[in-house]
């Protein structure tokens, strides 16, 4: 595999980790403050087992860090760039939605075939 292919495969793995709505919600919450697993489970309305699976995906891709403190694990983003990336993609999606809304509005304004 060429170095370029490896690089793009790593990009794809990170984006795959970001492809689940609950993982994006977790990133949003950790972008605001560090949280324990219990806090995240309550905030996301996920079972602890399901939350753990999502956190493991995010940790495996280097997006989230876990720090043990006694019997608790405190989770935080590994870098502010994780949240910045999500915000950048959100902006792109909002731009696309605006373009789609404008295109729909233009289609509605077009005269219908056979109308005066």
């Amino acid at each position: 595999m060429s170095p370029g292919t490896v690089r793009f495969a790593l990009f794809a793995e990170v984006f795959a980790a970001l492809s689940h709505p609950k993982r994006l919600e977790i990133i949003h919450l950790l972008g605001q403050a560090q949280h324990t697993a219990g806090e995240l489970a309550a905030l996301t309305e996920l079972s602890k087992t399901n939350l753990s699976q999502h956190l493991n995906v995010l940790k495996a891709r280097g997006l989230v860090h876990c720090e043990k403190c006694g019997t608790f694990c405190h989770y935080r983003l590994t870098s502010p760039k994780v949240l910045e990336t999500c915000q950048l993609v959100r902006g792109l999606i909002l731009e696309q939605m605006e373009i789609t809304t404008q295109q729909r509005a233009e289609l509605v304004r077009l005269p219908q075939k056979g109308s005066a």
Side-chain angles (χ1 to χ4, degrees):
M1 207 181 301
S2 73
T5 302
V6 170
R7 181 181 64 207
F8 289 120
L10 292 172
F11 288 172
E13 287 179 11
V14 169
F15 279 105
L18 297 173
S19 68
H20 194 284
K22 283 296 181 180
R23 289 196 286 267
L24 291 172
E25 184 179 355
I26 292 166
I27 287 172
H28 172 77
L29 291 167
L30 294 177
Q32 296 172 347
Q34 123 177 330
H35 290 282
T36 65
E39 291 168 341
L40 287 170
L43 291 167
T44 59
E45 299 179 347
L46 289 170
S47 69
K48 288 187 179 182
T49 301
N50 202 343
L51 174 70
S52 178
Q53 292 170 347
H54 287 299
L55 287 170
N56 285 335
V57 171
L58 295 171
K59 287 189 300 185
R61 298 297 166 248
L63 303 172
V64 169
H65 176 73
C66 173
E67 188 174 312
K68 283 231 179 222
C69 188
T71 59
F72 294 97
C73 286
H74 293 271
Y75 293 90
R76 64 175 172 77
L77 297 179
T78 55
S79 167
K81 290 181 180 180
V82 174
L83 186 60
E84 291 169 19
T85 299
C86 291
Q87 290 170 333
L88 185 65
V89 173
R90 178 182 177 270
L92 174 64
I93 291 167
L94 290 174
E95 282 179 19
Q96 290 173 337
M97 288 172 65
E98 179 64 27
I99 289 168
T100 303
T101 302
Q102 289 172 359
Q103 288 171 341
R104 269 194 230 125
E106 289 170 13
L107 287 173
V108 169
R109 287 193 298 267
L110 289 176
Q112 296 294 319
K113 195 174 190 179
S115 66

